[in-house]
Amino acid sequence: MTEEDKELGQRPDLILNGVGSAAGGAYDKVLIDGVGKVEGSLNARLFKANGQIRVKGGLFTEGMEVNGIMSLGGPLRINTMKLDGILHIDGSVIGENCVLNGLMTAKGDCELEEFRGVGGFTIEGLLSAGHVDIRLEGAGQVHEIGVESLKVRQGDQSLWNRLLGGIIPKLKPMLTARVIEGDDLDLEYTNADVVRGNDVIIGEGCSVGLVEYRTGLTVHPGARIGKEVKTGD
Amino acid sequence: MEDDLISKKELLDLTGISYGQLYRWKRKQLIPEEWFIRKSTFTGQETFFPSMLIQARIRNILNMKDDLSLDELASRLSNTEGYSEIRLTKEAIIERNIVTDIAMSAYGPEVQSNEGLYSFEQLLHLYAADTLLARGEMSLDEGRLLLRTLEKHAGALTGKPCELYFVRKMGVALFLLAPSPAELYFDEGVRLVAKVTLGDLVEQLKGRLS
């Protein structure tokens, strides 16, 4: 145990098992198993939850691990996050590292250094990240993307996935964005109005209105591009 | 001031930075959120920046980037440390085009400290007066009032975001310093001649000094 841990250890733990609710506040560890409800904002060193969790305020934590369904009424500030399941955020996300396995929706902006995983996401604001590496199993919808590097792949295309994707649009593994800007862009199955970058790869199944590139552009024969422009020098 | 905007694309071409750098700096809060101005154009929505501010800021970042980490930079940019040691002579100020010689000859002798040297704070006050003069909104005499106001009260607001209001009623000039964000309401006869954010001035001044 480091010196810092000891100091923070003076804060109490919040443990909810079964069905329970709490008011919120500052804790060292928050452990929720079952159906948990928190009425206010939470500030914790570690946040671990399994089951169905509802937090009405924001969540500020260093390490976050969620298995199950969680909804958050305010902003999310994290250092690292690991999500298995569904997370709904009524605010913005600011953090370092996010590993996604499931669905995430955020009402505001999403600013992360690293964002990778499998699943789908809806971000109503700007997704700004250092590195994004996503394998889409559901729909990815973002208003605007600004990144250093972005890699989008489609998940396994099994029969069931294709069938369900056809019936429920939310499950169709496509990335949709108005504007995608970044240094290295490697796209597949993406719908976008504008893509701007240094090195751009437009892969299979893409449909892009305008591509602006600085150094290189590779286009898959199965991709549709409205217009391509080389910018700079 | 408001009309002086630069589009994201022009900015990147001009400064030679990449999208990734721009967004990373934004995440590190080296570039304030408020500077990202969204406007609709015929190609859809585009992002614009206040031209002067963003260019000065990017020059600052590029200059300091090699010696400092981004986190250190973020704290450096938000304060005036590192500039507090600056002392410049009148000649150096005019030569480096920091303050015009009109403002310098009008106000310089009043502001200067011993041995004819100017500190960063004094420079900032002169720069504020010079900016308002250059816009043709303030007379030379009113500038003296401004300098006295700044000298007396700006110290109390150091380190806080702060705005300078210049209002006039029936030809009488008034200066107000208020921590921002503040909402001020005036009576009908008052005309708000100019509103300047001191943080912006510090920014521009730093840009000229480096």
Side-chain angles (χ1 to χ4, degrees):
Chain A
M1 204 186 236
T2 63
E3 208 53 43
E4 201 185 355
D5 281 343
K6 268 184 208 159
E7 212 167 296
L8 282 168
Q10 287 163 356
R11 293 201 287 190
D13 294 345
L14 171 68
I15 300 172
L16 290 179
N17 280 318
V19 181
S21 66
Y27 298 97
D28 180 46
K29 274 188 281 198
V30 177
L31 306 172
I32 301 176
D33 286 286
V35 181
K37 196 169 162 190
V38 179
E39 299 291 338
S41 289
L42 273 177
N43 197 328
R45 185 177 61 83
L46 185 70
F47 181 91
K48 265 190 181 180
N50 298 297
Q52 186 171 1
I53 306 102
R54 201 162 151 209
V55 178
K56 286 201 174 167
L59 174 60
F60 307 86
T61 181
E62 275 170 49
M64 175 175 173
E65 255 179 63
V66 178
N67 292 297
I69 302 174
M70 175 163 167
S71 74
L72 191 64
L76 177 63
R77 303 275 174 279
I78 40 152
N79 203 348
T80 59
M81 169 161 90
K82 198 169 170 299
L83 169 70
D84 286 273
I86 301 174
L87 173 63
H88 179 86
I89 304 149
D90 247 358
S92 61
V93 182
I94 293 180
E96 287 290 320
N97 194 326
C98 172
V99 181
L100 176 78
N101 189 3
L103 289 169
M104 182 167 98
T105 52
K107 289 256 186 232
D109 293 348
C110 182
E111 302 195 342
L112 294 162
E113 285 311 310
E114 204 175 320
F115 184 41
R116 62 198 164 86
V118 183
F121 51 90
T122 307
I123 294 161
E124 291 186 16
L126 166 79
L127 168 63
S128 165
H131 304 282
V132 179
D133 186 349
I134 291 288
R135 182 173 281 274
L136 287 172
E137 293 277 6
Q141 282 183 333
V142 192
H143 183 76
E144 206 183 332
I145 302 180
V147 288
E148 276 153 61
S149 80
L150 169 69
K151 188 173 163 189
V152 181
R153 288 288 173 269
Q154 199 169 33
D156 296 335
Q157 268 296 56
S158 70
L159 181 64
W160 276 110
N161 274 348
R162 264 182 288 167
L163 266 179
L164 283 173
I167 301 163
I168 309 164
K170 257 236 140 108
L171 290 176
K172 200 175 180 192
M174 285 287 281
L175 173 67
T176 315
R178 288 209 38 187
V179 183
I180 300 175
E181 289 174 343
D183 294 348
D184 293 312
L185 302 174
D186 183 353
L187 307 173
E188 261 184 22
Y189 299 95
T190 301
N191 272 329
D193 292 352
V194 185
V195 173
R196 296 193 184 101
N198 274 348
D199 222 337
V200 183
I201 302 172
I202 307 281
E204 210 179 332
C206 285
S207 164
V208 180
L210 168 70
V211 180
E212 286 178 14
Y213 63 100
R214 212 172 271 260
T215 42
L217 173 68
T218 315
V219 183
H220 189 274
R224 284 208 314 273
I225 292 181
K227 194 180 163 198
E228 52 187 75
V229 182
K230 189 171 181 355
T231 57
D233 32 77
Chain B
M1 264 307 222
E2 285 291 314
D3 303 324
D4 205 8
L5 295 176
I6 183 169
S7 79
K8 196 192 276 171
K9 208 165 129 191
E10 283 170 345
L11 180 74
L12 297 191
D13 283 345
L14 215 64
T15 53
I17 62 169
S18 70
Y19 286 111
Q21 277 174 307
L22 185 72
Y23 282 106
R24 187 167 59 222
W25 293 346
K26 178 180 181 243
R27 280 202 302 283
K28 294 284 177 192
Q29 284 158 14
L30 295 172
I31 301 171
E33 179 83 48
E34 311 89 78
W35 290 6
F36 284 71
I37 301 161
R38 282 171 213 288
K39 279 197 162 181
S40 32
T41 57
F42 65 97
T43 51
Q45 215 181 32
E46 280 253 30
T47 309
F48 290 84
F49 298 92
S51 180
M52 291 255 284
L53 290 175
I54 189 85
Q55 287 188 53
R57 174 62 63 99
I58 284 175
R59 267 201 306 277
N60 279 342
I61 297 174
L62 289 174
N63 282 340
M64 293 193 275
K65 180 163 72 104
D66 297 337
D67 313 328
L68 299 168
S69 77
L70 284 180
D71 289 322
E72 286 169 329
L73 254 180
S75 62
R76 171 73 68 92
L77 281 173
S78 57
N79 61 33
T80 53
E81 246 175 69
Y83 289 91
S84 56
E85 297 298 307
I86 276 184
R87 298 281 181 278
L88 287 178
T89 59
K90 184 182 169 188
E91 288 73 29
I93 294 168
I94 294 172
E95 193 183 317
R96 291 170 68 179
N97 207 8
I98 298 166
V99 177
T100 57
D101 50 357
I102 302 171
M104 211 55 214
S105 49
Y107 308 128
E110 290 177 39
V111 178
Q112 83 181 194
S113 48
N114 42 359
E115 295 148 26
L117 294 174
Y118 294 85
S119 70
F120 183 79
E121 206 165 285
Q122 288 163 333
L123 261 180
L124 180 65
H125 298 172
L126 281 174
Y127 186 69
D130 193 29
T131 312
L132 284 174
L133 271 182
R135 288 200 221 164
E137 284 158 345
M138 186 180 71
S139 74
L140 271 173
D141 272 342
E142 286 162 351
R144 297 213 164 79
L145 180 63
L146 168 65
L147 285 173
R148 277 203 297 278
T149 317
L150 283 172
E151 199 178 347
K152 207 164 173 191
H153 299 292
L157 289 160
T158 325
K160 291 179 222 158
C162 165
E163 278 168 342
L164 170 72
Y165 293 81
F166 176 32
V167 295
R168 235 179 234 170
K169 185 178 182 182
M170 297 182 189
V172 180
L174 275 178
F175 291 96
L176 288 172
L177 272 177
S180 71
E183 296 201 15
L184 301 179
Y185 301 92
F186 305 103
D187 76 62
E188 273 173 39
V190 172
R191 194 168 77 88
L192 179 62
V193 184
K195 183 178 130 181
V196 185
T197 310
L198 282 194
D200 292 355
L201 285 181
V202 171
E203 197 75 41
Q204 290 169 20
L205 184 55
K206 280 200 231 167
R208 292 193 179 201
L209 284 170
S210 55

